[in-house]
Structures are given as structure tokens and as C-alpha cells.
Amino acid sequence: MPAFWTEADWDAHERVEVVHDRASGLTAIIALHSTHLGPGAGGTRFWHYADPAGAMRDALRLSRGMSFKNAMAGLPMGGGKAVVMLDKDGTKTDAMLEAFGDAVEALNGRYVTAEDVGATVADMVKIAGRTRHVCGLPVSEGDAGGDPGPFTAMGIYHGIKAAVAHKLGKDSMAGVRVAVQGCGSVGGGVARLLAKDGASLIVSDINTKRAQALAQEIGGEAVDGDVVMGTECDVFSPNALGAILDDDGIARLDCAIVAGGANNQLARPEHGAMLHERGILYAPDYVINAGGIINVSLEYLCRQKGEPCDINEVRKRIAQIPARLQSIWNTSEAESRPSNEVADAMAMELIGRG
Ligand code: NAD
């Protein structure tokens, strides 16, 4: 594995741990980017990586993104993220989850974990058997917490409506064409909410059956995974994996707005400038997709105090996402700077690295 401090994605991370547990076969990386605002909070991704360097890159980029996301969401949390390196069959055992829980516990509250791609609420319950520093756990009706996906989708839905109002001057989603990449927890939720408002949905997933089922449910159209980025639409909403906005991807876009939940959508920061030059309004990913971490962070903070957490507080905070985006877009236009650069500068200021 290359030394991580020579990685392009190394950004003075406070701590990076490589965890290996012989007994269970767990190999994981826990990256803490910044604890300036509070404990580093961010989910755990369970994924099969082609090589360890890819896992390290993911951990470094995702944890930095969490510092920015939590700061911009106004949460008293820093940025952290973990990746668990699965074998090519995606084997995930209880023993691995327990060993991972022990690794989180050893950080003594400096890292708080939750779900990310490949993780379930049941996994978090298993991890919670070994550490208190976990959220996204089952909660009672009316309390904050649990699966972050629907809350992330809710924030993206609000953000897309704000982008459509800002860029297209429309205060209704009726007839607005939205192409959704990824029909999982987040993408599926976004598509369902938009369909209820009368938007015209084009959906895609590498799991074609999932895309077709969603299209049938919401009265949309399912297209091939590869085709969706070049589909003529008002909004392209990436909700699968990151780094899809590269030279080739951006050249293929035929939309006015890019707004979706996938983390790290820009392959490199300069791809934000390419979107800006093309006149495409970009909603910085870590601002628009903060709904899930708002939900589980409030769950965590309330649980530490032994108090129940009102779901309405979560909804109130998620409803503030459009105003944050609006302020970024206003500055971007006033100063002729790409929206990702504006957001990064705001976030760096908030985490004391301005
Ligand atoms: P998920 O696993 O539920 O769904 C992801 C979906 O994307 C799957 O259906 C998968 O088949 C599909 N997919 C993968 N590669 C694809 C491709 N190339 N083209 C089309 N479809 C593809 O995951 P999720 O929770 O919905 O998360 C989706 C994205 O949102 C991830 O980037 C995740 O990091 C990000 N995100 C999730 C949350 C959350 O609360 N779940 C919060 C913030 C950000």
C-alpha cells in the first residue's frame, strides 16, 4: 500500500487507522479528517476494492467530505469515514462486524459510525453490541434516527426543487424531466418524492430489474445504466457511486442542473469549473445530501444525553438545505466562481482551515 500521506487525497487528516483482525478476517480503514467541530461522524462503506490503494483513496476522500458536510449542515460533528474491504463475494460476517465495533470503541468517541453503501440497520445493531459510538439504529416511531437513506432523499428532493426554481424559474416540478442514476435507498426515495409532484422521471441502475420495477411503480421510464448521463433532461441526479463527473461524463451531460446524493461526484475539483463553464447549475454533493447525517447525528447526540430526539427537529434542519444551496449559488454567480469552490471555501472556514 502506498504511504497515504503521498496520496493526492491526503488533506492533513488527523488520524488514519488500518484495522486488521486475524480471527474474523476484517480489514478496514478508519479515517478521521477533522474533529475541530466535534467527533468525526460518517458512515461505514462495505465494498470490494480492487486494491488497498483504492480503499485508502475512498476513506480519505469520504472522510474529508464528511468534515465539509457536517460543518455545512451546522452540526457539532467533525468528519470521519470508514471502509471495510470485503472479498470479491462480498462476505460480511457477524464476527467482522463485532471486530469493527471494537475498533470504533478503541477510538473512544473520536469516531462515530453509521450506515453507508453496503451497510444495513441490522449491521449497525451488531456493531452497537461493541460500542456506543454508532448511530442509524432502530428508533421508536416519532424519534429521530434509523436508516438515513429516506432523510437523505428528502434533503435532495428539497434541493432539486430549489435548483429548479433558481435555474429554470419554476415553482412546480410538474413536467420537469429528471434523470436519476441509481435506484437504491437514496435514488429510489428521490424519484418517488419527485414523481408525486408530477415530475417526469427517467431512472437507471446497473441492477436493471430494480430500475424497471421503480419505473413501473412511479410511472417513469427505465434506461440503460450507461445512457442515463447523456439523457436530455432538466435535472441529472446522480445517486449511485462517486467520480462520475469527469471529462467524459460532463461532455455527455444534456441537462441544466446536476443535483443528487452520490458522495464525491466530481472526479477532480476542476470538474466543478467545467460544469460552471457549461452553464450547468451544480448542487455541491455534501451540501444537498446532508439529510441522512442530520438525522443520525441528532439521534446520536440525544442518545448520549439519554433524551429522545424529536423527528421534527430533523425535518426542520433538513428544510434548511435549500437556503444553504441558494447562498452558495448566489455567491457563485456574484463572484463568477464554480459552486463547488464556493462551498469548499465556506466549509474550510467553518472547520478552522480557512
Ligand atoms: P444503495 O446501495 O441503496 O443504492 C445504490 C444503487 O446504485 C444500487 O441500486 C446500485 O445497483 C446502483 N448503482 C451502482 N453503480 C451504478 C451505476 N454505475 N449506474 C447506475 N446505478 C448504479 O446506496 P444509497 O444509500 O442509495 O447511496 C447512494 C449514494 O448516495 C452513494 O454514493 C452514497 O455514498 C450516497 N449517500 C448515501 C446516503 C444515505 O443516507 N444512504 C447519504 C449520503 C450520501
Side-chain angles (χ1 to χ4, degrees):
M1 186 186 298
F4 47 74
W5 53 90
T6 63
E7 286 275 348
D9 296 306
W10 170 251
D11 179 39
H13 285 63
E14 285 179 17
R15 180 190 282 236
V16 178
E17 291 214 350
V18 178
V19 182
H20 182 64
D21 178 63
R22 266 179 82 113
S24 64
L26 171 83
T27 305
I29 300 169
I30 301 177
L32 283 174
H33 176 255
S34 164
T35 54
H36 181 76
L37 293 173
T44 298
R45 179 166 293 193
F46 293 82
W47 196 251
H48 170 64
Y49 292 91
D51 56 44
M56 182 58 80
R57 262 195 306 277
D58 235 10
L60 293 176
R61 293 190 79 185
L62 291 165
S63 58
R64 181 176 189 261
M66 289 311 301
S67 289
F68 287 12
K69 187 185 306 200
N70 294 337
M72 292 294 271
L75 293 167
M77 308 300 267
K81 199 91 180 181
V83 301
V84 172
M85 297 168 64
L86 300 183
D87 64 20
K88 62 179 174 8
D89 300 321
T91 311
K92 181 173 48 168
T93 62
D94 285 357
M96 286 163 70
L97 292 167
E98 285 162 3
F100 181 70
D102 290 341
V104 172
E105 181 59 22
L107 287 167
N108 206 20
R110 293 189 71 193
Y111 171 60
V112 180
T113 196
E115 295 88 346
D116 190 56
V117 174
T120 63
V121 174
D123 295 339
M124 294 306 122
V125 172
K126 196 49 83 180
I127 291 167
R130 307 297 266 247
T131 180
R132 316 185 276 132
H133 305 297
V134 53
C135 46
L137 297 169
V139 286
S140 314
E141 183 82 24
D143 284 354
D147 181 7
F151 295 90
T152 303
M154 190 192 296
I156 294 160
Y157 162 72
H158 287 311
I160 289 178
K161 290 207 299 186
V164 165
H166 184 85
K167 180 76 178 172
L168 308 177
K170 292 187 181 176
D171 60 7
S172 155
M173 289 304 294
V176 174
R177 267 173 77 80
V178 185
V180 176
Q181 182 182 49
C183 302
S185 173
V186 174
V190 171
R192 287 185 185 93
L193 289 168
L194 291 171
K196 276 195 195 138
D197 280 0
S200 163
L201 272 307
I202 302 113
V203 298
S204 91
D205 199 294
I206 44 168
N207 180 338
T208 50
K209 280 196 182 134
R210 185 175 281 179
Q212 280 158 4
L214 180 66
Q216 197 166 23
E217 177 194 328
I218 61 174
E221 181 193 346
V223 296
D224 206 59
D226 235 21
V227 173
V228 70
M229 271 191 89
T231 301
E232 191 265 316
C233 58
D234 297 304
V235 183
F236 171 61
S237 184
N239 297 290
L241 294 179
I244 47 138
L245 298 171
D246 56 10
D247 293 359
D248 175 56
I250 292 173
R252 285 164 57 210
L253 290 176
D254 189 2
C255 61
I257 296 161
V258 174
N263 283 312
N264 297 329
Q265 291 163 33
L266 301 171
R268 293 192 307 277
E270 52 270 34
H271 290 110
M274 285 176 69
L275 290 170
H276 185 72
E277 277 153 28
R278 282 205 52 197
I280 295 173
L281 184 72
Y282 173 62
D285 44 20
Y286 58 79
V287 180
I288 196 170
N289 72 12
I293 195 73
I294 290 172
N295 174 46
V296 296
S297 291
L298 295 189
E299 169 201 334
Y300 177 74
L301 293 168
C302 289
R303 191 178 299 115
Q304 298 302 301
K305 288 190 269 173
E307 294 170 1
C309 195
D310 188 356
I311 197 81
N312 290 318
E313 179 60 23
V314 175
R315 294 204 180 102
K316 198 172 92 192
R317 289 181 182 234
I318 291 176
Q320 289 163 3
I321 289 175
R324 278 190 203 103
L325 290 169
Q326 193 64 61
S327 126
I328 292 163
W329 293 328
N330 289 346
T331 305
S332 161
E333 281 157 18
E335 298 178 4
S336 217
R337 285 162 66 205
S339 58
N340 63 308
E341 279 182 31
V342 172
D344 285 3
M346 286 179 175
M348 290 289 270
E349 195 72 45
L350 289 168
I351 65 167
R353 298 190 187 189

